[in-house]
Amino acid sequence: MLEGMKTIVLSMIAATLIGGILGLLIGVLIGRPFIGLGLGGFLGGNFGMVLGYGFLPESPADHPMEPEGDA
């Protein structure tokens, strides 16, 4: 479980940094660098959380086993 949380947190940190940098660049272009930085960091963090959750392996309990039939 801690390994899964580590994956999510690392992807959130990486995506937040990338989103913040891109947001800062866009913010400078529109004349509002702090709004761009905040918005880019927020969106990047949310994207990183979704991306990190997608990297987690599926639990076997999520897929109930079907009994094998006679074929």
Side-chain angles (χ1 to χ4, degrees):
M1 181 172 157
L2 289 177
E3 190 64 34
M5 291 298 291
K6 181 180 172 185
T7 302
I8 293 173
V9 169
L10 288 176
S11 67
M12 279 181 66
I13 290 171
T16 301
L17 290 174
I18 292 170
I21 291 169
L22 291 175
L24 182 62
L25 292 175
I26 293 172
V28 167
L29 291 175
I30 63 171
R32 307 257 184 200
F34 294 114
I35 291 175
L37 177 68
L39 187 61
F42 175 74
L43 293 176
N46 287 321
F47 177 74
M49 182 172 51
V50 170
L51 187 67
Y53 186 74
F55 284 134
L56 296 178
E58 292 186 14
S59 171
D62 293 341
H63 302 288
M65 295 182 63
E66 296 179 10
E68 293 182 20
D70 294 329

